[in-house]
Amino acid sequence: MSDLGQLYQQIILDHSRKRSGEGLTSKPAQHVAENHQYNPTCGDDIIVRVHLDDGGERIDSLTWEGDGCSISMAAASVLAEMSPGMTLEEFHAMVDHFRQMLRSRGTEEPDEEVLGDAAAFAGVSKYVARVKCAMLAWVAAEEASRDAATVVR
């Protein structure tokens, strides 16, 4: 395994053990929503809650709770760590890059400028059965962020 491959593997292992954003938080917010996703193939299950700033344009926090394989839990952790402070446009662009990387089946190099630690999941794209594991929290967050932008409490 290359040094880069080992680094990527270590990032995934670290995030699966010491998880960022785990535990759904509740705080007063005008724009908040959550989304539940389940992968029946392997049993991964996750709920992601997104709080936007008062203007509904920037992610204030992204928290989650779930149960699943190390890939799905690490992907949720990386996402929770990276998302706060991003505008919705930046966030959705990052999700699109992540999705494109995972669908490439290993033919596309990740853009670390856009994906940061999420580039560590590039190797997952070679294993079609694991792509949904990595995407689960990202799909939930994508849906929750869209819902949060349209909900005013």
Side-chain angles (χ1 to χ4, degrees):
M1 181 180 293
S2 71
D3 288 344
L4 185 58
Q6 288 177 349
L7 173 64
Y8 283 173
Q9 185 177 17
Q10 191 59 49
I11 289 170
I12 292 171
L13 289 172
D14 288 349
H15 273 279
S16 71
R17 291 181 188 131
K18 186 176 180 212
R19 302 172 180 173
S20 296
E22 187 174 29
L24 295 174
T25 60
S26 292
K27 53 185 172 178
Q30 291 181 332
H31 300 277
V32 61
E34 65 184 37
N35 186 270
H36 174 253
Q37 294 288 319
Y38 175 68
N39 182 352
T41 305
C42 65
D44 293 344
D45 191 25
I46 196 155
I47 298 170
V48 174
R49 183 174 294 155
V50 174
H51 287 88
L52 302 181
D53 65 2
D54 289 340
E57 297 174 8
R58 196 173 286 277
I59 295 178
D60 184 51
S61 69
L62 188 152
T63 57
W64 60 277
E65 68 179 27
D67 188 36
C69 68
S70 61
I71 291 172
S72 67
M73 299 296 98
S77 176
V78 167
L79 183 63
E81 199 170 88
M82 294 177 64
S83 301
M86 286 185 168
T87 65
L88 288 177
E89 185 177 326
E90 292 166 337
F91 176 74
H92 290 285
M94 180 181 67
V95 172
D96 288 343
H97 275 87
F98 189 70
R99 181 180 285 115
Q100 184 176 340
M101 176 190 70
L102 287 176
R103 289 181 176 167
S104 77
R105 296 192 182 211
T107 62
E108 192 172 301
E109 286 297 314
D111 184 344
E112 291 186 37
E113 291 290 317
V114 174
L115 293 174
D117 278 355
F121 294 88
V124 172
S125 70
K126 296 175 186 172
Y127 306 97
V128 177
R130 303 312 300 236
V131 167
K132 186 158 186 176
C133 300
M135 278 302 303
L136 203 65
W138 291 64
V139 169
E142 183 177 43
E143 292 299 318
S145 68
R146 286 191 177 121
D147 291 346
T150 61
V151 172
V152 177
R153 296 179 194 263

